[in-house]
Amino acid sequence: MKVAVVGYPNVGKSSLVNRLSGSREAVVHERAGITRDRKEIPAEWNGRTFTLIDTGGLDTEDPDPMAGSIREQAQAALDESAVAVFVIDAQAGVRPGDEELADLLRRWKKPVIIAANKVDHVGDMALAHEAFKLGLGEPQAVSAAQGLGTGDLLDRVVELLPEDDEEADDDIVRLALIGRPNVGKSSLLNKISGQDRVIVSDVAGTTRDSIDLRLEIDVPPTPREVIIVDTAGMRRQSKVNESVEYYTTLRSTRAADRADVALVICDAQDGVTSQDMRIAEMAMGAHCATAIVLNKWDVTEMDEAQLKHERAKVANKLRLRPKVLTASALSGRGIERLIKEALGLSDRMRQRVPTPEMNRWLSEVTSARQPPQKQGKRLKAYYAAQVDTNPPRFQISINHRQRLTREYAYYLENRLRERLSLEGVPVIIDFTERGAPRREGGRGGRGGRRADIDRD
């Protein structure tokens, strides 16, 4: 179930969404107009789960073309919601813009709750009464800053929600689209979803928050549920001059932290830049399965030889050796392949390899390249097993850790990646001396150490 949070610019919608959801997902800034796209944030109250949709400020008199796109996004949020929370600034009183929005909401035919925000003290409760004139029922006095009245507001939201029929989020793939500003992330999301889900502009930095979009992708043999996260463009730290850009960059990093798969979107006309490499390394550091996408392929002059060079550069500089794919958000070329690759990466993150197959692989690779020796004594590898998934974690039993060289550890990792088609997938290998307890369970990835090979 979805709840749209709408209102005039700078009345505190994003702050209220953060308060109601108990998160800091929505970007909050004193400057009006920071929220542009609609952002979906999960919330829970009294055992009911629902989604709050934070929307851009609705100013019907603003001639800016961007304002028109924001209005369209807010209207789309209303179209897919069961309840609306209409936020006004109680300190400023009812303004003409509020009255115009109230007129729209009276014709909406679904439940509307007026939240008179910025009632930061009990003595200011009377300020909310002016909202009675909007004709949408009794206003709820709240303070996003102090939390006053937010419990009562949530009670009313839950009371008005229809019966919850959402399915569990099992096996849903979380896919983050990350990259530099203006490389076409939002255009790709719109093409994948088949709708103008997020605002697209030639102005770099139009997207200022992470936008979660749940989709059902029709991929044989059965449809797959995917949550796509479109993120704000990430600039080099030296160019993050505004606090707004600082927080959007932070949210892009957090998007990778909570994703299963990351597509690093690049501009094909620039090739894979050093900043693209750093963004890919950030995603890999968060233990995301990763692929690199050269977008705008329809307008690039790059030929096959140059594409081969870009792929070799990525394989040489990025240890996970992610695939480099080409696509065009404008024409739709390569989009289906991107989705299949993303779903395949997610599946490979979760696959489990039988122990007999792992031991056959170990025998083959150690026969192909003899283990190193130190001081006349050779390293021996006894057995291998997978001990965890998402990301895949393996354990290799050896006779002595001091005889294992970094070069040989990388050799084993690369051969394992080739055998299991794990290009772009984080692989963790624990080398343990024979007789040491075998590691079982517990995710070795996100939230844990950032290490692909454990030799400490």
Side-chain angles (χ1 to χ4, degrees):
M1 297 298 171
K2 296 183 179 181
V3 177
V5 181
V6 298
Y8 204 75
N10 218 29
V11 295
K13 296 184 297 299
S14 296
S15 296
L16 185 59
V17 166
N18 284 342
R19 175 68 68 172
L20 296 179
S21 63
S23 72
R24 294 183 180 178
E25 289 293 322
V27 174
V28 176
H29 197 272
E30 62 187 9
R31 188 202 310 166
I34 294 304
T35 302
R36 291 174 173 175
D37 298 298
R38 60 192 194 271
K39 176 175 175 62
E40 299 184 2
I41 300 173
E44 186 273 336
W45 186 252
N46 289 342
R48 291 294 303 275
T49 58
F50 51 94
T51 300
L52 295 168
I53 307 180
D54 184 28
T55 64
L58 283 162
D59 186 349
T60 57
E61 300 299 322
D62 191 342
D64 187 343
M66 188 69 71
S69 297
I70 291 170
R71 289 193 293 270
E72 292 173 3
Q73 292 296 314
Q75 182 63 59
L78 289 171
D79 291 343
E80 60 188 55
S81 296
V83 177
V85 175
F86 176 21
V87 186
I88 68 168
D89 184 341
Q91 297 289 337
V94 174
R95 296 175 289 185
D98 296 327
E99 293 176 349
E100 292 180 14
L101 286 179
D103 182 60
L104 181 149
L105 290 169
R106 281 195 297 270
R107 292 181 275 114
W108 186 51
K109 306 300 183 182
K110 293 181 183 179
V112 178
I113 304 169
I114 297 182
N117 191 28
K118 305 186 182 180
V119 179
D120 297 333
H121 307 284
V122 175
D124 294 336
M125 296 289 285
L127 296 174
H129 294 165
E130 187 182 352
F132 271 108
K133 67 194 295 188
L134 295 174
L136 290 168
E138 181 180 359
Q140 177 70 51
V142 296
S143 169
Q146 306 297 329
L148 180 69
T150 52
D152 293 335
L153 175 58
L154 285 166
D155 284 341
R156 291 185 63 184
V157 167
V158 169
E159 181 184 342
L160 293 171
L161 283 174
E163 288 299 317
D164 191 358
D165 59 356
E166 289 191 6
E167 299 178 355
D169 287 351
D170 295 340
D171 299 324
I172 291 181
V173 178
R174 297 192 67 89
L175 169 62
L177 306 182
I178 60 178
R180 294 179 291 119
N182 219 27
V183 294
K185 299 183 298 299
S186 296
S187 296
L188 273 172
L189 186 148
N190 286 341
K191 181 62 71 173
I192 291 169
S193 67
Q195 57 178 300
D196 291 335
R197 180 57 179 80
V198 290
I199 297 171
V200 175
S201 171
D202 291 335
V203 178
T206 297
T207 304
R208 285 178 170 169
D209 213 337
S210 299
I211 311 299
D212 287 20
L213 174 62
R214 184 186 294 255
L215 297 174
E216 184 176 274
I217 305 295
D218 188 13
V219 179
T222 57
R224 301 283 296 274
E225 289 284 334
V226 177
I227 295 178
I228 302 181
V229 184
D230 176 44
T231 60
M234 300 176 66
R235 299 172 185 260
R236 292 194 300 273
Q237 195 64 34
S238 61
K239 293 190 176 181
V240 180
N241 298 319
E242 299 183 63
S243 60
V244 173
E245 286 203 33
Y246 168 77
Y247 285 112
T248 52
T249 300
L250 177 63
R251 280 162 173 76
S252 293
T253 305
R254 289 174 58 190
D257 286 336
R258 58 193 177 90
D260 303 304
V261 179
L263 295 182
V264 180
I265 313 302
C266 312
D267 189 330
Q269 299 174 92
D270 301 330
V272 183
T273 68
S274 58
Q275 177 66 354
D276 296 328
M277 295 281 194
R278 283 191 288 270
I279 293 171
E281 288 173 343
M282 178 274 296
M284 296 170 189
H287 286 98
C288 273
T290 305
I292 292 177
V293 179
L294 290 172
N295 189 27
K296 308 181 185 180
W297 189 252
D298 53 327
V299 295
T300 185
E301 297 181 356
M302 185 182 296
D303 57 25
E304 287 299 320
Q306 291 170 312
L307 176 59
K308 185 177 180 180
H309 171 75
E310 292 296 316
R311 286 173 169 159
K313 180 173 66 175
V314 168
N316 183 54
K317 293 190 176 182
L318 297 178
R319 180 168 160 187
L320 268 62
R321 299 184 177 180
K323 290 183 179 179
V324 178
L325 308 173
T326 61
S328 169
L330 183 63
S331 68
R333 173 185 172 182
I335 300 300
E336 183 177 348
R337 185 165 54 125
L338 289 187
I339 293 299
K340 288 183 178 179
E341 178 62 25
L343 294 175
L345 284 169
S346 175
D347 292 341
R348 291 191 287 277
M349 284 277 280
R350 304 178 189 191
Q351 73 178 343
R352 186 172 287 277
V353 184
T355 299
E357 182 177 337
M358 287 296 304
N359 283 317
R360 283 195 297 273
W361 163 82
L362 184 63
S363 176
E364 291 171 8
V365 295
T366 52
S367 297
R369 180 173 174 179
Q370 198 172 37
Q373 64 177 358
K374 287 186 176 181
Q375 297 177 340
K377 296 184 178 180
R378 189 170 299 280
L379 173 74
K380 293 182 180 180
Y382 297 111
Y383 69 83
Q386 184 173 0
V387 295
D388 207 355
T389 61
N390 201 21
R393 186 168 199 144
F394 304 90
Q395 182 168 296
I396 297 178
S397 175
I398 57 178
N399 60 341
H400 204 292
R401 292 166 64 90
Q402 297 302 317
R403 296 173 191 166
L404 177 67
T405 63
R406 180 173 293 272
E407 181 183 8
Y408 200 75
Y410 285 164
Y411 162 73
L412 293 176
E413 178 189 349
N414 291 335
R415 299 293 80 76
L416 183 61
R417 201 179 294 284
E418 290 174 2
R419 170 63 68 89
L420 302 178
S421 299
L422 295 176
E423 295 86 357
V425 176
V427 172
I428 303 171
I429 302 177
D430 300 316
F431 292 93
T432 58
E433 289 188 12
R434 193 171 194 175
R438 173 172 165 171
R439 183 181 187 123
E440 293 285 359
R443 292 182 66 179
R446 278 158 259 172
R449 291 178 299 106
R450 286 182 55 185
D452 291 321
I453 295 181
D454 178 11
R455 299 199 297 115
D456 297 333

